[in-house]
Amino acid sequence: MATDFKSIPVIDVAPLFAKCDDPKMVQDPGVREVVKQLDQACREAGFFYAKGHGIPETMVKEVRNITHKFFDLPYEEKLKIKMTPAAGYRGYQRIGENITKGVPDMDEAIDCYKELKQGMYGALGKPMEGCNQWPHYPPNFKELMEKYISLCTEVSRKIMRGIALALGGSPDEFEGERGGDAFWVMRLIGYPGASTANGKCTSENDIGCGAHTDYGLLTLVNQDENITALQVRNQAGEWISAPPIPGTFVCNIGDMLKPNYDAAVEPLEVCVRKSSGIRKFENAVYGEHLVSKVQTNFVT
């Protein structure tokens, strides 16, 4: 998929969003231009900046600020919402608890998932059942994050309609049984630096988060201002920086669709037709893929 790209494209998604639920959206010149840019970005880099997404910059900054306040709390306070398997793998992970390719990451995080009721997906959903763990401090943390999640989920839905068109399908290709009840994941990540980890000296590794692919389809990254840390590897093996740009999210496509938890992920028929009827990839169930990642990515 990737090429020897040297920079990450910036796409103004506002024209797509303005017509996103219009039955005639595909006929709109502005929509067609955004779809063309999404197609090129996803094929060549798998990453792009999205501007014109409609989430107020004040909220985006507030999310960053309140997250910093949580990570600045004493370690013992943060452990009050410690992530465990019994909590459905939701909550706080200390530095070094997240593993990438067998190596501890030098970050701390709060993991949140769409909440699954007991028995909702039978044995498939059992490991992920539970409610998200929210800290009592800073105040209004839960309320802000739930509103932010709702807005980001809507942004993702609209971008996915554009990606569906880029693939040659209908705008609602990723809705209904596949993704109409999409299972979302939110990670709030703190990178304290390599000097200390949970009050102790760190290991030799000083990488915040090791090289990886995401295990959904669409990720929205809200980066701190004035810190260039995120990098994307091109086909030549070069690491291309993705510095923060005010008013944008960095978006990337990952391993899967952003589907319903129990969705069978398989090649779209429109894509099969384009490849002369050949199915290049095997089917998978999103929930199984997610659980396998979650259960191997953490030291508990």
Side-chain angles (χ1 to χ4, degrees), residues 120-173:
M120 188 173 180
Y121 293 108
L124 177 64
K126 186 67 176 176
M128 304 301 299
E129 288 177 355
C131 298
N132 290 315
Q133 299 194 76
W134 301 106
H136 293 297
Y137 184 85
N140 301 319
F141 193 99
K142 177 178 183 289
E143 292 77 9
L144 174 63
M145 292 303 173
E146 288 184 335
K147 184 175 181 180
Y148 179 67
I149 289 166
S150 177
L151 291 174
C152 286
T153 301
E154 183 63 7
V155 166
S156 299
R157 183 187 74 85
K158 292 177 178 178
I159 292 176
M160 287 306 307
R161 288 177 72 82
I163 290 176
L165 290 173
L167 287 168
S170 65
D172 59 357
E173 203 74 56

Side-chain angles (χ1 to χ4, degrees), residues 11-20 22-41 161-169 171:
I11 301 176
D12 185 352
V13 296
L16 169 67
F17 284 22
K19 299 288 186 176
C20 206
D22 186 335
K24 298 181 180 179
M25 64 178 290
V26 72
Q27 301 173 19
D28 185 85
V31 170
R32 289 202 298 267
E33 177 58 30
V34 175
V35 169
K36 178 182 175 181
Q37 292 179 42
L38 287 172
D39 183 46
Q40 182 175 358
R161 288 177 72 82
I163 290 176
L165 290 173
L167 287 168

Side-chain angles (χ1 to χ4, degrees), residues 55-70 138-141 143-145 147-148 188 222-225:
I55 299 181
E57 187 66 10
T58 53
M59 169 172 276
V60 173
K61 289 182 178 180
E62 189 178 3
V63 166
R64 292 199 297 264
N65 291 339
I66 202 170
T67 300
H68 276 288
K69 288 180 180 179
F70 173 81
N140 301 319
F141 193 99
E143 292 77 9
L144 174 63
M145 292 303 173
K147 184 175 181 180
Y148 179 67
L188 302 169
N222 177 1
Q223 301 186 85
D224 276 330
E225 295 177 329

